[in-house]
Amino acid sequence: MEPDVLAPAALVSGDLAHLERAVALAQQARDRGDHPFGAVLVTAEGAVVEALNSVSTTHDPTAHAESNLVRAAAAQGVGAAAFATSTLYTSTEPCAMCSGAIYWAGIPRVVFALSEKALRDFVPEASSEPTLVLPSREVFARGGRPIEVVGPVALPAATAVHEGFWA
């Protein structure tokens, strides 16, 4: 069962700005020919790392925004201790693969706008883009440590970035 959609006012301080940035990154990805997904990592010390989906431009089916973000953060020196105090913001709920990357990185909190269920409404069943009916909360629930998941958050831009893309 999908949780209720949260109003942006339900977020804690700073969450909305970072989530809106993730959606803006999704638009940038779409504008350059990639799938419309973006993600932002914010450490407790205030370091910020951003990433976009690059599946089409790199021809790498694993180059989702969240997976790219974990790799970019690690390459920039974000270590286990910093990951363990970070929040990952993403324009759309992480897929099973990206949820795994988030889990293995040790990120304890995820905030997302559009749910995977809502995304499936955009992607035609006969599409060449496969989807998994597996919410991130279900993936995280199988792990050995808790991950706080906040979302879906009602942001019209998070829906708009997908409109007409998957047709």
Side-chain angles (χ1 to χ4, degrees), residues 152-163:
V153 177
L155 288 181
T159 300
V161 74
H162 291 281
E163 290 175 351

Side-chain angles (χ1 to χ4, degrees), residues 3 14 26 32 37 40 47 64 70 77 103 118 120 143 166:
R32 74 176 189 192
F37 302 100
V40 175
H64 292 194
V70 168
Y103 177 81
R120 280 185 278 130
W166 304 100

Side-chain angles (χ1 to χ4, degrees), residues 4-17 19-20 109 111-113 150-158:
D4 293 334
V5 176
L6 301 171
L11 300 174
V12 298
S13 178
D15 280 351
L16 182 58
L19 193 56
E20 288 174 333
R109 185 168 184 261
V111 180
F112 69 87
V150 179
V153 177
L155 288 181

Side-chain angles (χ1 to χ4, degrees), residues 9-146:
L11 300 174
V12 298
S13 178
D15 280 351
L16 182 58
H18 295 304
L19 193 56
E20 288 174 333
R21 179 64 184 149
V23 173
L25 292 168
Q27 184 63 58
Q28 287 180 22
R30 181 180 177 160
D31 290 347
R32 74 176 189 192
D34 281 303
H35 298 170
F37 302 100
V40 175
L41 182 79
V42 180
T43 69
E45 293 78 31
V48 177
V49 181
E50 301 180 343
L52 289 72
N53 178 290
S54 59
V55 167
S56 296
T57 55
T58 63
H59 309 289
D60 178 354
T62 68
H64 292 194
E66 299 90 344
S67 294
N68 285 346
L69 181 64
V70 168
R71 285 190 292 271
Q76 292 179 29
V78 174
F83 273 128
T85 62
S86 297
T87 297
L88 188 146
Y89 299 90
T90 184
S91 60
T92 305
E93 183 174 4
C95 70
M97 177 185 70
C98 292
S99 294
I102 291 163
Y103 177 81
W104 291 117
I107 298 166
R109 185 168 184 261
V110 175
V111 180
F112 69 87
L114 190 70
S115 71
E116 64 89 23
K117 181 180 179 191
L119 175 64
R120 280 185 278 130
D121 292 340
F122 285 103
V123 182
E125 198 168 305
S127 167
S128 64
E129 299 297 332
T131 60
L132 288 172
V133 181
L134 186 56
S136 62
R137 283 178 175 87
E138 290 185 34
V139 175
F140 296 141
R142 304 295 193 276
R145 69 177 164 290

